[in-house]
Amino acid sequence: QVQLVESGGGLVQPGGSLRLSCAASGSISIIYAMGWYRQAPGKRRELVASITSGGTTNYADYAKGRFTISRDNAGNTVYLQMNSLNSEDTAVYLCNVDGMLLTGGVFKSWGQGTQVTVSS
């Protein structure tokens, strides 16, 4: 099946930066899109940024100008560069991948999540 491995989270001071990574593996034929979501305590999960196989990106308003989403050449790894972090960015960040399996069926997979904490 499809497995997603996330990394790059941690503790950072306000104004600092972090780079999240998510590597997809398994019986994947095509990846349509990859994205990063986040969920803070007491809040609903929300889209931070996404990128399609064609390179089209989409960002939440709070992420525009601060965060950058990208994919590697093979297209199986997605990154989220986060700059100018503040306390409101504290959350569990989760990777999501939409695509087609080798069998021809579509899939939507989620990573386990990586914690990002912004604090002095």
Side-chain angles (χ1 to χ4, degrees):
Q1 199 51 268
V2 177
Q3 296 83 41
L4 304 180
V5 180
E6 301 152 319
S7 63
L11 175 64
V12 64
Q13 295 187 168
S17 299
L18 285 174
R19 185 179 186 238
L20 306 183
S21 299
C22 175
S25 62
S27 304
I28 301 171
S29 177
I30 302 173
I31 292 178
Y32 301 138
M34 307 181 80
W36 287 96
Y37 290 71
R38 72 183 188 184
Q39 186 167 24
K43 296 185 177 181
R44 304 181 71 178
R45 186 174 298 179
E46 60 185 14
L47 176 69
V48 179
S50 64
I51 184 169
T52 69
S53 60
T56 300
T57 58
N58 183 54
Y59 296 92
D61 287 340
Y62 57 78
K64 295 177 180 177
R66 296 195 300 134
F67 298 176
T68 302
I69 190 169
S70 61
R71 293 173 66 179
D72 66 354
N73 292 333
N76 65 335
T77 303
V78 63
Y79 306 93
L80 184 67
Q81 178 66 46
M82 303 186 293
N83 300 324
S84 301
L85 289 164
N86 58 67
S87 61
E88 297 299 316
D89 296 316
T90 296
V92 173
Y93 285 71
L94 305 102
C95 178
N96 172 254
V97 178
D98 294 301
M100 183 172 68
L101 302 171
L102 293 175
T103 60
V106 297
F107 72 90
K108 187 180 185 70
S109 295
W110 292 89
Q112 292 298 307
T114 183
Q115 177 70 46
V116 171
T117 302
V118 185
S119 177
S120 298

